[in-house]
Amino acid sequence: MRIDLNSDLGESFGRWELGDDRALLSVVTSANVACGFHAGDPSVLRRTTADAKERGVAVGAHVGYRDLAGFGRRFLDVPPADLTNEVVYQLGALAAFTRLADDRIRYVKPHGALYNTIVHHEQQAAAVVEAVRAFDPDLPVLGLPGSRFLALAEQAGLRTYREAFADRAYTPDGVLVSRREPGAVLHDPAAIAERCLRIAQGLPVEAVDGTEIVIEADSLCVHGDSPGAVDIARAVAERLRAAGVAIAPFTQEAPAARGNA
Amino acid sequence: MRIDLNSDLGESFGRWELGDDRALLSVVTSANVACGFHAGDPSVLRRTTADAKERGVAVGAHVGYRDLAGFGRRFLDVPPADLTNEVVYQLGALAAFTRLADDRIRYVKPHGALYNTIVHHEQQAAAVVEAVRAFDPDLPVLGLPGSRFLALAEQAGLRTYREAFADRAYTPDGVLVSRREPGAVLHDPAAIAERCLRIAQGLPVEAVDGTEIVIEADSLCVHGDSPGAVDIARAVAERLRAAGVAIAPFTQEAPAARGNA
Amino acid sequence: MRIDLNSDLGESFGRWELGDDRALLSVVTSANVACGFHAGDPSVLRRTTADAKERGVAVGAHVGYRDLAGFGRRFLDVPPADLTNEVVYQLGALAAFTRLADDRIRYVKPHGALYNTIVHHEQQAAAVVEAVRAFDPDLPVLGLPGSRFLALAEQAGLRTYREAFADRAYTPDGVLVSRREPGAVLHDPAAIAERCLRIAQGLPVEAVDGTEIVIEADSLCVHGDSPGAVDIARAVAERLRAAGVAIAPFTQEAPAARGNA
Amino acid sequence: MRIDLNSDLGESFGRWELGDDRALLSVVTSANVACGFHAGDPSVLRRTTADAKERGVAVGAHVGYRDLAGFGRRFLDVPPADLTNEVVYQLGALAAFTRLADDRIRYVKPHGALYNTIVHHEQQAAAVVEAVRAFDPDLPVLGLPGSRFLALAEQAGLRTYREAFADRAYTPDGVLVSRREPGAVLHDPAAIAERCLRIAQGLPVEAVDGTEIVIEADSLCVHGDSPGAVDIARAVAERLRAAGVAIAPFTQEAPAARGNA
């Protein structure tokens, strides 16, 4: 039994630092690295990819809208053809730094508002899929189970992986409870760790209304940019290991990617 | 006898169009393609690299300072390590699009204020060289003869190529006359074409003070973003061909580059 | 009988020039001046406000989304409080330049996707209204008749003015035909001029389906950033004058604005 | 006997927070507020100006180069006319928010690389002076004693104020020791506080070489964006008050500024 832990990294920008990347890299097995459009600058990309390589953490491209002021958290109605090109641009930029680190991009995970949008937005979902396929069809994608993004990626022949959120409540339908609702975000490290263990074991967890649901996931997303977040990530990792669940990148057995190295 | 004609392309940005790229692509053999930091957006990069490939024009990375508002024409005192990373980022982004076009980056030519700065600025010159070397040591560079940039590139084991400017006056020392001086820019297509032919043939041309100098060049830079510029480029190409000088990319016989395809 | 002609100006940015501002300033009576978020840089604002003052053209603040790459033409889901502050910021920046020109902002007209969004988007419409009210409650707004923006502006006590589009087709309900539909944009200068005259005279014009509608307007919007656009603007102005319709800023009789001079 | 304490505020940007503004506002009497070019976004400007007004802290315009990625800390060779317009733009934007807070800009202090550049760079110094003069000739400026900036500002008829740096070492000539030199930055709160008291009292302090110099200052600059910085600021304020030195804005007795309210 095994699962992956992923987290957002490389979100600093120039003078502004965000998140405790070094601490997270000692906990997670996959790093979603910002590519410069919503966060991250070239020197941050350089350092983050080098540190991830050194710690054996798989690097994913955390592609987002071109919106530094909004940190990629605001929907932007980009025409699909432009969105494809913006994602390709980010993949190429990150690939240059994984190459310098003697590594390569292992997967793609959309960020923020783009992630949420392509759960249902057909055209933008297809645009992101097309970017990955055109850049490197051997590159897997990580996304929300049931999203249009994963469905279209599968249709396009991409390998798809599903993630669950360690610290978020779910509706009975397995959808995330909106952050605007009470109880949407969980805070107790022990409870979160226990919940993560059950997800990793394929056991049902409690939805926000008290019913039980099974959340299928190849990777658990833990956060690192808020106080206490690193503690939660550590608690999850320790609980999983204590229960005999191996923590390893979901991309580990994947066949060698073709071209972005 | 042969020479290359290069020009700046892909300098549009969003709603703003600049230069007659289609016309230039029918004249030049090397295209310096903006990478998004001083000009160019992802959709412009996509279109420009595809068009260049279709016309058989060699794509060079026209890397510049991160300064859209100044079009990369203002010196920016970037710390060398950051500059290296900014150039790597641009190379990676452009390489993604040349890959989509089933092509690859053939050379690197710094743009604008960066080009002028690294004629003499040791640290920034070394930073650009280090970026190219780290990204792909088989990638040649194009620059000003006598510049620190070309000297350091050569020391680092990069292949170097020299360019001359078709429409610019030179001092007796073979340095460009500053644009602020009278007579710095030449305007007569026939005179410019004749001058280019002499440079291609290795014959002396007149410096701004009337003395004669020999300008050694592997490539002639022609411009395309001002009225009449395309006409000048065409006049140069016609004059060269009429005199039996072949026009071909300076990168043509180069051994296959290693990794950015 | 009189009407205003307005057009978008000051849309250049750095090296990129857009539109024939000088020609337009000799035709229109109101200039929607970009404030730097979707187009326009400080030197463009300086020049445009000075030229408008010299020609006696009323300056309006053409406020937009913070999106240079998209020219403000893509919906951006900015939280309302942030949108209010972004509009205030733009108003302040433009007001500095009208002050330098011994002039002041005469009205506010949202640009592009923001203009279209607040036709129906209640929260963003209210956010823009709040920005104008907070900055200067004596500043009138120009918008689409029937829009939520004008309705909320009126409720907030702002003076509101309505505009019609010279070169756009309307549905029988008086709404603009989407640019994606055939026949959405009119091209014949003489026909456009005639149509503008009828609007100015309060007479019905033909909707896209052949029915007749009356479009009430205080100002006619003419464009200047496409080939032939200035010719259309001139044709409209000439036709109006020939028929005895005075062309004058809609803001002319307005009481003196309070504070932004 | 009295002196002013100033600090940089409003340097957050979007998701990125920087500095403990609330804590600093309870210590300093003048706030250098970033205007959006090197730091600060419209919502940060709104909040910072409102908070400053509430605490009775004088708001200064902290104008900088247009360089978010470099936080305004890298020299940018902006042509003087453009620099004037960029400073005017920032002044106008900030003035909109001080107006909303029923306040006004009280002074102008250039930021970072611009501050350092105009100590000696004649053209850029003149460009900043021209911006202030054109925007509001009653607006005073704060700068380094002996700088070209203050000299030119005085010639232009602006009121000028001098600042000293609480935590920086000085050469025997009264110039700041470069941050690259050992001992350039002081760290001991008690020693810094004692030194500030001597400056406020007009008494000599020790230069980096052990000689004694007198630093004339109307304001002491304390920092707030590093760990321990707020503690230093508090130690300085307490030491001054304990010795009977009043802490008050240097702009307090200034005649009412004319137009930017």
Side-chain angles (χ1 to χ4, degrees):
Chain A
M1 195 164 295
R2 54 176 267 184
I3 200 157
D4 174 64
L5 290 186
N6 80 76
S7 190
D8 302 345
L9 276 97
E11 295 187 326
S12 295
F13 184 80
R15 173 71 181 84
W16 294 287
E17 287 169 32
L18 186 65
D20 187 349
D21 283 9
R22 300 256 168 181
L24 278 173
L25 282 172
S26 68
V27 178
V28 301
T29 38
S30 292
N32 317 312
V33 179
C35 302
F37 269 43
H38 68 275
D41 63 43
S43 291
V44 170
L45 268 78
R46 177 77 174 262
R47 188 171 62 241
T48 308
T49 49
D51 289 350
K53 168 73 177 181
E54 192 189 320
R55 305 299 304 241
V57 173
V59 169
H62 208 202
V63 296
Y65 289 126
R66 184 177 186 135
D67 178 21
L68 285 171
F71 200 65
R73 289 184 170 169
R74 314 183 295 194
F75 170 63
L76 181 59
D77 192 16
V78 191
D82 291 336
L83 182 56
T84 294
N85 295 331
E86 299 207 338
V87 171
V88 167
Y89 187 99
Q90 293 177 69
L91 292 174
L94 180 60
F97 291 102
T98 51
R99 184 200 299 188
L100 262 63
D102 211 7
D103 197 359
R104 64 168 190 258
I105 302 176
R106 305 286 172 165
Y107 65 95
V108 178
K109 174 182 166 179
H111 161 82
L114 179 58
Y115 186 95
N116 293 328
T117 295
I118 63 179
V119 168
H120 55 80
H121 193 301
E122 189 81 12
Q123 286 187 303
Q124 290 206 352
V128 176
V129 168
E130 169 56 18
V132 179
R133 196 205 56 72
F135 181 74
D136 184 351
D138 290 326
L139 208 47
V141 298
L142 179 62
L144 196 72
S147 63
R148 289 306 297 152
F149 174 52
L150 288 196
L152 292 172
E154 206 163 309
Q155 282 174 31
L158 301 177
R159 278 174 293 140
T160 60
Y161 293 90
R162 303 152 305 174
E163 75 172 331
F165 291 83
D167 62 353
R168 294 291 297 275
Y170 283 79
T171 70
D173 303 323
V175 174
L176 292 179
V177 173
S178 164
R179 280 178 183 276
R180 288 165 200 153
E181 304 291 323
V185 180
L186 313 180
H187 298 287
D188 175 37
I192 292 171
E194 197 58 35
R195 186 178 173 90
C196 284
L197 175 59
R198 294 184 63 85
I199 293 173
Q201 291 172 326
L203 300 175
V205 296
E206 219 175 70
V208 74
D209 68 345
T211 59
E212 295 215 314
I213 55 170
V214 171
I215 303 170
E216 299 191 331
D218 306 296
S219 183
L220 290 164
C221 182
V222 295
H223 290 109
D225 62 348
S226 56
V230 173
D231 291 338
I232 289 175
R234 286 201 182 107
V236 169
E238 279 160 26
R239 187 72 192 88
L240 291 171
R241 284 208 188 85
V245 178
I247 304 177
F250 67 89
T251 49
Q252 202 153 70
E253 307 101 333
R258 193 190 49 159
N260 78 75
Chain B
M1 196 163 297
R2 54 177 266 184
I3 201 159
D4 173 64
L5 289 187
N6 80 75
S7 189
D8 302 346
L9 275 95
E11 295 188 326
S12 295
F13 184 79
R15 174 72 182 83
W16 294 287
E17 287 169 31
L18 186 65
D20 187 349
D21 283 9
R22 300 257 168 180
L24 278 173
L25 281 171
S26 68
V27 179
V28 301
T29 39
S30 292
N32 317 312
V33 179
C35 301
F37 269 43
H38 68 274
D41 63 43
S43 291
V44 170
L45 269 77
R46 177 79 175 262
R47 189 171 61 240
T48 308
T49 49
D51 288 350
K53 168 71 177 182
E54 193 189 319
R55 305 300 304 241
V57 172
V59 169
H62 208 200
V63 297
Y65 290 127
R66 184 178 186 131
D67 179 20
L68 284 171
F71 200 66
R73 289 185 170 168
R74 314 183 295 194
F75 171 63
L76 181 60
D77 192 16
V78 192
D82 291 336
L83 182 56
T84 294
N85 295 331
E86 299 207 339
V87 171
V88 167
Y89 187 99
Q90 294 177 69
L91 292 174
L94 180 60
F97 292 101
T98 51
R99 184 199 301 187
L100 262 63
D102 212 7
D103 198 358
R104 63 168 191 257
I105 301 176
R106 305 286 171 165
Y107 65 95
V108 178
K109 173 182 166 179
H111 161 82
L114 180 58
Y115 185 96
N116 293 328
T117 295
I118 63 180
V119 168
H120 55 80
H121 192 301
E122 188 81 10
Q123 287 187 303
Q124 290 207 352
V128 176
V129 168
E130 169 56 16
V132 178
R133 196 205 55 72
F135 181 75
D136 183 350
D138 290 325
L139 208 45
V141 298
L142 179 62
L144 197 73
S147 63
R148 288 306 297 151
F149 173 52
L150 287 195
L152 293 172
E154 206 162 310
Q155 283 174 30
L158 301 178
R159 276 174 294 138
T160 60
Y161 294 90
R162 303 152 305 173
E163 74 173 331
F165 291 83
D167 62 353
R168 294 291 297 275
Y170 284 80
T171 70
D173 304 324
V175 174
L176 292 179
V177 173
S178 163
R179 281 178 183 276
R180 289 167 198 150
E181 305 290 323
V185 180
L186 313 180
H187 297 286
D188 175 37
I192 293 171
E194 197 59 36
R195 186 177 173 91
C196 285
L197 175 58
R198 294 185 64 86
I199 294 172
Q201 292 172 327
L203 299 176
V205 296
E206 217 174 72
V208 73
D209 68 344
T211 58
E212 295 216 315
I213 56 169
V214 171
I215 303 169
E216 298 190 333
D218 305 296
S219 184
L220 290 164
C221 183
V222 294
H223 291 108
D225 62 347
S226 56
V230 174
D231 290 339
I232 289 174
R234 286 202 183 106
V236 170
E238 278 161 28
R239 186 72 192 88
L240 291 171
R241 283 208 188 85
V245 177
I247 304 177
F250 66 88
T251 51
Q252 201 153 69
E253 306 102 331
R258 192 190 50 162
N260 79 74
Chain C
M1 196 165 295
R2 56 177 264 185
I3 200 158
D4 174 64
L5 290 187
N6 80 76
S7 189
D8 301 346
L9 276 96
E11 295 188 325
S12 295
F13 183 79
R15 172 73 181 82
W16 293 288
E17 287 169 31
L18 186 65
D20 187 349
D21 284 9
R22 300 258 168 179
L24 278 174
L25 282 171
S26 68
V27 179
V28 301
T29 38
S30 292
N32 317 311
V33 179
C35 302
F37 269 42
H38 68 276
D41 62 43
S43 291
V44 170
L45 269 78
R46 177 78 175 261
R47 189 172 60 239
T48 308
T49 49
D51 289 350
K53 167 73 178 182
E54 192 189 320
R55 305 299 303 242
V57 173
V59 169
H62 208 201
V63 295
Y65 289 127
R66 185 179 185 129
D67 179 19
L68 285 171
F71 200 66
R73 289 185 171 168
R74 313 182 297 193
F75 170 63
L76 181 59
D77 192 16
V78 191
D82 290 337
L83 183 56
T84 294
N85 295 332
E86 298 206 339
V87 171
V88 167
Y89 186 99
Q90 293 176 70
L91 291 173
L94 180 59
F97 291 102
T98 51
R99 184 199 300 188
L100 262 63
D102 211 6
D103 197 358
R104 63 169 190 258
I105 302 176
R106 305 286 172 165
Y107 65 96
V108 178
K109 174 182 166 178
H111 161 82
L114 180 57
Y115 185 96
N116 292 328
T117 295
I118 63 179
V119 168
H120 55 80
H121 193 301
E122 187 80 12
Q123 286 187 303
Q124 290 206 354
V128 176
V129 167
E130 169 56 17
V132 178
R133 196 205 56 72
F135 181 74
D136 183 352
D138 290 326
L139 208 46
V141 297
L142 180 63
L144 196 72
S147 63
R148 289 305 297 152
F149 173 52
L150 288 196
L152 292 171
E154 206 162 309
Q155 283 174 31
L158 300 178
R159 277 174 293 139
T160 60
Y161 294 89
R162 302 154 304 173
E163 75 172 332
F165 290 83
D167 62 352
R168 294 292 298 275
Y170 283 79
T171 70
D173 303 323
V175 174
L176 292 179
V177 173
S178 163
R179 280 178 184 276
R180 289 165 200 152
E181 306 289 324
V185 181
L186 313 180
H187 298 285
D188 176 36
I192 292 171
E194 197 60 35
R195 188 178 172 89
C196 285
L197 176 59
R198 295 186 63 86
I199 293 173
Q201 291 172 328
L203 299 176
V205 295
E206 218 174 70
V208 74
D209 68 345
T211 59
E212 295 215 314
I213 55 169
V214 171
I215 303 169
E216 299 190 332
D218 305 297
S219 183
L220 290 164
C221 182
V222 294
H223 290 108
D225 62 347
S226 55
V230 174
D231 290 339
I232 290 174
R234 286 202 183 106
V236 169
E238 279 160 26
R239 187 72 191 89
L240 291 171
R241 284 207 188 87
V245 178
I247 304 177
F250 67 89
T251 49
Q252 201 153 69
E253 306 102 333
R258 193 190 51 160
N260 79 73
Chain D
M1 195 164 298
R2 55 177 267 187
I3 200 159
D4 174 64
L5 290 186
N6 80 75
S7 190
D8 301 345
L9 276 95
E11 295 188 327
S12 296
F13 184 79
R15 173 72 182 81
W16 294 288
E17 286 169 33
L18 186 64
D20 188 349
D21 283 9
R22 300 256 170 183
L24 277 174
L25 282 172
S26 69
V27 179
V28 301
T29 38
S30 293
N32 318 311
V33 179
C35 302
F37 269 43
H38 68 275
D41 63 43
S43 291
V44 171
L45 269 77
R46 177 78 175 261
R47 188 170 62 240
T48 308
T49 48
D51 288 350
K53 167 74 178 181
E54 193 189 318
R55 306 298 305 242
V57 172
V59 169
H62 208 201
V63 296
Y65 289 127
R66 184 179 187 131
D67 178 20
L68 284 171
F71 200 66
R73 289 185 171 169
R74 313 182 295 195
F75 170 63
L76 182 59
D77 192 17
V78 191
D82 290 337
L83 182 56
T84 294
N85 295 331
E86 298 206 339
V87 172
V88 167
Y89 187 99
Q90 294 177 69
L91 292 173
L94 180 60
F97 290 103
T98 50
R99 184 200 300 186
L100 262 62
D102 213 6
D103 198 359
R104 64 170 190 257
I105 302 175
R106 304 285 172 166
Y107 65 95
V108 178
K109 173 181 166 180
H111 162 83
L114 180 57
Y115 185 96
N116 293 329
T117 296
I118 63 179
V119 168
H120 54 81
H121 193 301
E122 188 81 11
Q123 286 187 302
Q124 289 207 353
V128 176
V129 167
E130 169 56 17
V132 179
R133 196 206 55 71
F135 182 75
D136 184 352
D138 290 325
L139 209 45
V141 297
L142 180 62
L144 196 73
S147 62
R148 289 305 297 151
F149 174 51
L150 288 196
L152 292 172
E154 205 162 310
Q155 283 174 30
L158 301 178
R159 277 174 293 138
T160 60
Y161 294 89
R162 302 153 304 172
E163 74 173 332
F165 291 83
D167 62 353
R168 294 292 298 277
Y170 282 79
T171 70
D173 304 323
V175 174
L176 292 179
V177 174
S178 163
R179 281 179 183 275
R180 289 167 199 151
E181 305 290 324
V185 180
L186 313 180
H187 297 286
D188 176 37
I192 292 171
E194 198 59 35
R195 187 177 172 88
C196 284
L197 175 59
R198 293 185 65 86
I199 293 173
Q201 291 172 326
L203 299 175
V205 296
E206 219 173 70
V208 74
D209 67 346
T211 58
E212 295 214 316
I213 55 169
V214 172
I215 304 169
E216 298 190 332
D218 305 295
S219 183
L220 290 164
C221 182
V222 294
H223 290 108
D225 62 347
S226 56
V230 173
D231 290 339
I232 290 175
R234 285 202 183 106
V236 169
E238 279 161 26
R239 186 71 192 88
L240 291 171
R241 284 208 188 84
V245 177
I247 304 177
F250 66 89
T251 50
Q252 201 153 67
E253 307 102 333
R258 193 191 50 159
N260 77 74

